[in-house]
Amino acid sequence: MAYLDHAATTPMLPEAVSAMTAALAEHGNPSSLHASGRRARRTVEEARERVAAALGARPSEVVFTGGGTESDNLAVKGIFWARRAADPRHTVVLASAVEHHAVLDAVEWLHAHEGAQVELIGVDGLGRVDVAAFEAALDAHRDRLAVATVMWANNEVGTVQPVVSLAAAARAAGVPFHTDAAQAVGQLPVDFAASGVSAMTVAGHKLGGPFGVGALVLGRDVACTPLLHGGGQERDVRSGTLDAPSIAGFAVAVEAAVKAQADRAVHLAELREELVARVLAEVPDAILNGDPRDRLPGNVHFSFPGCEGDALLMLLDARGIECSTGSACSAGVAQPSHVLVAMGADSERARGSLRFSLGHTSTLADVDALAEAIGPVVERARRAGPAR
Amino acid sequence: MKVLAAMSGGVDSAVAAARAADAGHDVTGVHLALSESPQSHRTGARGCCTLEDSRDARRAADVIGIPFYVWGMAERFGADVVDNFVAEYAAGRTPNPCLRCNEKIKFAAVLDRALALGFDAVVTGHHARLSGGVLRRSVDAAKDQSYVLAVLTRAQLAHSIFPLGDSTKVQVRAEAAERGLTVADKPDSHDICFIPDGDTAGFLRERLGERPGEIVDAVSGEVLGGHDGSFAYTIGQRRGLRLGRPAPDGKPRYVLDISPVTNTVRVGPAEALDVDEITAVRPVWIVAAEPEGPLRCLVQIRAHGSPRPATVIPAGQGWRVELDAPDRGVAAGQAVVLYDGDTVLGSATIDSARSRAVTA
C-alpha cells in the first residue's frame, strides 16, 4: 500500500493520538466554573498557547474552529460582514482564482446573497497569483474593499503564493488579508506575525492532528462577525462548547509539525524530486503542473495526456496506490479543476491529471511502488481514451 | 474474471454485484452519474440518479466488500439518451429511453471503457437470462427485461453478465435482506429516470416549446380541438385529449397517428388502432443463424406487451412483420423484439405500422 494522498489528509501523529486520547478520558466543559471545568479549560488554554507559539501568534489570536472549511468561511464572511457594518461602501472581495472551494464558494455566496462585488485575481501558467493584478485591484477599489484572501500554498498543484507581498500590499491599502494556510503548516515555515496577514486558516487533519478541528488565527485588531451564535466562546467569534480533546490533539500536532518542518521539508522535497523524475522516466510526455521550484515539498501534480484522471486513479487504487485527481464534488464526479483551468490548461489536460502528495509517513518505497505501476497504468488508461 | 458491476443504487444491481462476487469474479462497483445536476433525494419511487441513490450504491458495495467508484456519464447520457428522446418525440415517434440507454450507455460507453481499462465484462441487475450467448426471458415474467436488452449485439452480450435471470424479484429482495443490503426494501424505480416527476409532456414542452396544432378526426377530417404540441401524444393514448365533446357514436377516441410535419394529431375509434403489418428498421440478430426467408416467431412490440405470433420477412435493410392477429397501440420508435418461446432472436425499431385490411 502506497499512500500518496497526504494533502487530502495525513495520518495522525502518535503523540497527537496520545494527547487526544488522554483528554477524551477526562470530563468537564471548559466553560464550566468548577474544578472539572477549570481542568478542561486548562487543556484548551495550554493548547492555545502551544498553537500560538508554533505559528508566531499571540494566544488571544487563536480561535479554535471545527476545521479548515469553517475557518475559511468565518474569515471570509465574518470579516466581510464586519467591514461592511463599519462602512456600507466596503463590499468588494478580492480572491485568487485558485482558492480552495471553502474560500471560493464562500466568496461566491457573498456575491449571490450579500451583494458583494467579487474580483478574482488570475494566476500564471504555474499557478502563481499575479501580484501586479492584485495591486491594481486594490487601487481600483480602494475605498470599497471589504476583505482580500489568497491561499498560502495551493492544495492541488502545490504552488506557493507570494503571501508576504500580497499581505503588505493589502495592509497598505487598509484592507484585511486572509490566507488559507491549511496545506502550508508543517510543510513551509509559517509565521503569522511575520507574514503580515490579518487572518490565517489552519486545519488539524492536514498536519497530523484530528479531523474536525482547526483554528482561525485572527489578528487582535481584525473585526469579525460570527457565523455561529451561542455561548460566546472564543472571543464571541465562535460559539460552541470547546472540544478539549480535539483541541489538545490538534495543538500537539501543530507543535510537532512546525518543529519538524525544516527537516521534513528537505526530506519530502528529495522524495518529491525522485517521484517526479521516476514518473517522467516512465511517462515522458507527462506534464508537471504548478511551480517546479516554489512549491509545497510534498506536492506533485501531473497531467497525463490522453488519459482520464478518474481512470488512472481507479487503476492505481487497484494496485494499492492511493492518490487524488485533485478535485472532487459531492457526487464523486470529477469536474475539470478550476485551478488548472485558471492556469490556462484545456479541459482534457485538467481532467487527465493526478495529484501525488507526500507527508510524514512517506518513504522511498512509496515512490518505488508508483514508479513501477505508473507506466502500465497510463498505457491502460490511454486505451480507454481521454476525458469526454 | 475481472468484472465491472453497474450499480444504480437499487436492489437488483446490488444483488447482481454480490452474486458476481460470490461466483468468484473480481468485482468493481461503479455508479453511473447520469444527471448534470443530480437531486439530493429520490422523489417517490421515480428516478435513479440522485445523490441518495449514489450513496445507496456505495453502501451496497461496502457490504459486498468491493471497490466502488462513480463514473460521470452525464454528458454522454444527455446527448445519446435525453436529446435523442426529445428528438424522437419531435419526429412523431415514441422512444424507449431505457432501451436506448442500454444500447448507447451501459453496454456501449460503459462497456467500452471497462474493456479498455482491463475488465472482461459488465454485470447488471437486469432481469433476463443469458448463457452461451443466448438471451432469454427472466423466470419472473412480470419483471422480465429481455425486451430492453434485445437491442444488444452478440458482441455486447458476449461481455455481459445478468446474474438475476433465474430469480424472481421476491427472491432477489429476500436475498438482499439476508445479505444485509439496506436497499432490500427500496421501492422499484418506474418510468423515466430523467423525468423524476413523471410529467413527460411537461418535460417535452419545456424543451420543445409550445407548438399549437390541431386534433383531427381521422374518419371525417373534422377539426375536433387543439393541442400545444403533438409531442405530448402517443399512439393509443385516450386520456387527456380534451376534445370537449364525445364522438357521434359515443365511444372513446384514441390517438391514431401523429404527423410532426403538419403538427397534427389524428384521433379515431379503437378499432382504427388495429394494425397487423409493421415495418421495422435497424435489425439486430442475436441468434447466430440469421434467417434468409420468412420466420415464424413471437413478437413483442412494447416494453410490457404480450408476445404475439407473427411472420417476420426480411425486407431490404429491415423487416416486414405480419401479425397473425391485429394489435393496438403500435408506435413508431418502439422496438419489435422477436422471441422463440422465451429466447430472444433479435430486435428492430418500428418505423411504421398499418392494417392490411384497410389498405387492401
Side-chain angles (χ1 to χ4, degrees):
Chain A
M1 180 72 78
Y3 184 72
L4 294 170
D5 203 13
H6 288 263
T9 193
T10 197
M12 250 179 104
L13 297 168
E15 54 267 47
V17 173
S18 302
M20 185 170 175
T21 310
L24 279 167
E26 299 293 333
H27 70 279
N29 183 327
S31 297
S32 291
L33 304 179
H34 46 60
S36 298
R38 286 197 302 278
R39 189 175 60 222
R41 181 61 172 264
R42 179 179 170 182
T43 299
V44 169
E45 295 309 323
E46 284 178 356
R48 195 187 309 281
E49 288 163 11
R50 295 171 95 156
V51 170
L55 298 176
R58 298 187 220 189
S60 59
E61 292 174 321
V62 175
V63 175
F64 290 118
T65 68
T69 293
E70 188 194 329
S71 294
D72 282 342
N73 273 265
L74 176 58
V76 171
K77 293 175 185 167
I79 296 172
F80 174 87
W81 286 326
R83 289 273 295 167
R84 191 185 57 183
D87 184 339
R89 292 177 304 165
H90 292 161
T91 55
V92 175
V93 180
L94 304 186
S96 89
V98 297
E99 292 303 299
H100 188 280
H101 277 294
V103 166
L104 215 48
D105 288 17
V107 166
E108 278 166 15
W109 183 88
L110 286 174
H111 170 66
H113 297 277
E114 297 287 318
Q117 183 185 336
V118 176
E119 287 271 334
L120 290 185
I121 311 300
V123 296
D124 65 12
L126 301 181
R128 296 178 300 196
V129 169
D130 183 339
V131 179
F134 183 77
E135 288 171 345
L138 289 173
D139 277 343
H141 300 292
R142 194 154 290 262
D143 295 330
R144 301 190 296 118
L145 295 166
V147 61
T149 177
V150 177
M151 65 206 325
W152 197 296
N154 185 266
N155 56 302
E156 289 187 34
V157 299
T159 300
V160 178
Q161 302 299 351
V163 165
V164 173
S165 306
L166 298 169
R171 184 162 294 270
V175 59
F177 182 89
H178 164 255
T179 187
D180 179 343
Q183 296 289 338
V185 175
Q187 297 241 347
L188 301 169
V190 172
D191 186 309
F192 177 74
S195 71
V197 305
S198 315
M200 181 172 86
T201 291
V202 185
H205 74 106
K206 303 288 192 191
L207 48 76
F211 292 103
V213 65
L216 181 65
V217 185
L218 185 65
R220 289 152 64 96
D221 56 342
V222 183
C224 184
T225 304
L227 293 175
L228 305 182
H229 298 86
Q233 291 87 346
E234 300 298 276
R235 287 162 59 182
D236 232 354
V237 170
R238 203 277 187 181
S239 287
T241 301
L242 286 159
D243 179 354
S246 295
I247 288 168
F250 172 58
V252 168
V254 170
E255 195 171 58
V258 169
K259 195 173 163 197
Q261 183 273 326
D263 290 343
R264 179 158 301 139
V266 172
H267 170 64
L268 293 184
E270 280 172 13
L271 276 182
R272 177 190 71 193
E273 294 314 308
E274 179 72 10
L275 193 157
V276 169
R278 301 274 294 277
V279 168
L280 285 173
E282 298 296 329
V283 188
D285 60 343
I287 302 161
L288 181 68
N289 294 308
D291 192 323
R293 280 173 297 278
D294 210 3
R295 76 186 299 136
L296 289 168
N299 174 287
V300 177
H301 192 283
F302 274 115
S303 287
F304 296 95
C307 298
E308 198 175 355
D310 277 356
L312 292 168
L313 185 146
M314 187 181 83
L315 293 167
L316 286 171
D317 189 16
R319 288 163 171 78
I321 295 165
E322 299 178 325
C323 63
S324 163
T325 53
S327 60
C329 84
S330 55
V333 179
Q335 303 291 327
S337 152
H338 68 283
V339 175
L340 289 178
V341 170
M343 288 162 60
D346 60 26
S347 173
E348 186 184 325
R349 179 174 158 197
R351 289 205 204 188
S353 62
L354 286 183
R355 178 186 69 188
F356 306 103
S357 49
L358 304 159
H360 66 92
T361 59
S362 297
T363 63
L364 194 57
D366 298 329
V367 175
D368 289 341
L370 175 64
E372 196 174 307
I374 193 69
V377 160
V378 166
E379 191 187 326
R380 175 61 83 180
R382 275 190 183 144
R383 268 183 247 168
R388 291 163 306 279
Chain B
M1 279 198 289
K2 207 165 139 49
V3 301
L4 188 140
M7 301 178 73
S8 66
V11 60
D12 291 325
S13 54
V15 172
R19 286 187 179 180
D22 285 358
H25 297 306
D26 175 2
V27 184
T28 295
V30 164
H31 177 74
L32 305 177
L34 301 177
S35 171
E36 297 274 10
S37 50
Q39 304 195 334
S40 296
H41 298 284
R42 291 159 56 85
T43 46
R46 299 173 193 275
C48 61
C49 31
T50 63
L51 298 181
E52 193 176 3
D53 293 306
S54 177
R55 180 186 177 277
D56 286 343
R58 178 185 298 278
R59 293 293 298 127
D62 290 343
V63 171
I64 298 163
I66 56 174
F68 176 82
Y69 305 92
V70 176
W71 282 7
M73 287 274 169
E75 264 173 60
R76 291 288 294 264
F77 186 79
D80 285 341
V81 180
V82 182
D83 290 354
N84 171 266
F85 178 83
V86 174
E88 284 288 284
Y89 266 105
R93 291 187 287 268
T94 307
N96 183 320
C98 299
L99 198 144
R100 179 85 181 171
C101 178
N102 286 334
E103 183 186 5
K104 295 289 179 183
I105 305 293
K106 289 186 187 141
F107 301 96
V110 173
L111 176 60
D112 290 347
R113 189 164 189 241
L115 294 177
L117 291 175
F119 293 93
D120 303 304
V122 165
V123 176
T124 71
H126 284 107
H127 283 265
R129 285 176 284 180
L130 175 64
S131 87
V134 178
L135 180 67
R136 294 163 68 204
R137 288 191 192 274
S138 162
V139 295
D140 188 337
K143 292 291 170 187
D144 172 56
Q145 290 174 304
S146 59
Y147 178 85
V148 292
L149 296 169
V151 285
L152 303 183
T153 62
R154 285 195 287 263
Q156 287 170 312
L157 289 171
H159 296 288
S160 302
I161 299 174
F162 308 135
L164 303 188
D166 286 316
S167 304
T168 64
K169 183 78 181 211
V170 171
Q171 289 168 334
V172 169
R173 285 197 181 281
E175 181 178 329
E178 269 172 44
R179 289 177 180 275
L181 295 166
T182 54
V183 291
D185 56 358
K186 188 169 171 174
D188 286 2
S189 58
H190 289 296
D191 304 307
I192 299 167
C193 71
F194 54 87
I195 309 179
D197 64 1
D199 179 10
T200 302
F203 177 87
L204 291 167
R205 196 178 307 115
E206 215 171 86
R207 278 151 188 83
L208 295 170
E210 292 201 354
R211 297 183 187 179
E214 291 173 343
I215 298 180
V216 174
D217 188 301
V219 182
S220 66
E222 189 188 350
V223 175
L224 299 176
H227 63 74
D228 294 335
S230 60
F231 48 78
Y233 299 85
T234 52
I235 306 291
Q237 177 179 344
R238 176 161 75 102
R239 292 167 188 275
L241 297 180
R242 290 174 292 141
L243 296 176
R245 58 203 162 100
D249 58 8
K251 288 184 182 167
R253 281 172 294 207
Y254 296 81
V255 173
L256 300 184
D257 77 31
I258 298 154
S259 169
V261 177
T262 59
N263 196 23
T264 303
V265 174
R266 292 200 317 138
V267 299
E271 313 83 82
L273 280 171
D274 287 346
V275 296
D276 56 10
E277 187 178 296
I278 295 167
T279 308
V281 297
R282 299 200 305 135
V284 176
W285 288 103
I286 295 176
V287 287
E290 297 176 17
E292 284 165 19
L295 171 73
R296 289 291 298 164
C297 59
L298 297 169
V299 301
Q300 185 176 330
I301 53 174
R302 66 182 83 87
H304 302 288
S306 6
R308 296 172 181 275
T311 304
V312 175
I313 302 147
Q317 296 295 303
W319 300 336
R320 194 168 78 245
V321 179
E322 294 178 0
L323 301 174
D324 288 8
D327 197 359
R328 283 180 183 174
V330 179
Q334 297 276 297
V336 53
V337 176
L338 278 48
Y339 290 88
D340 175 9
D342 60 9
T343 298
V344 177
L345 304 175
S347 74
T349 305
I350 297 173
D351 185 52
S352 62
R354 65 189 192 115
S355 167
R356 277 172 286 176
V358 171
T359 39

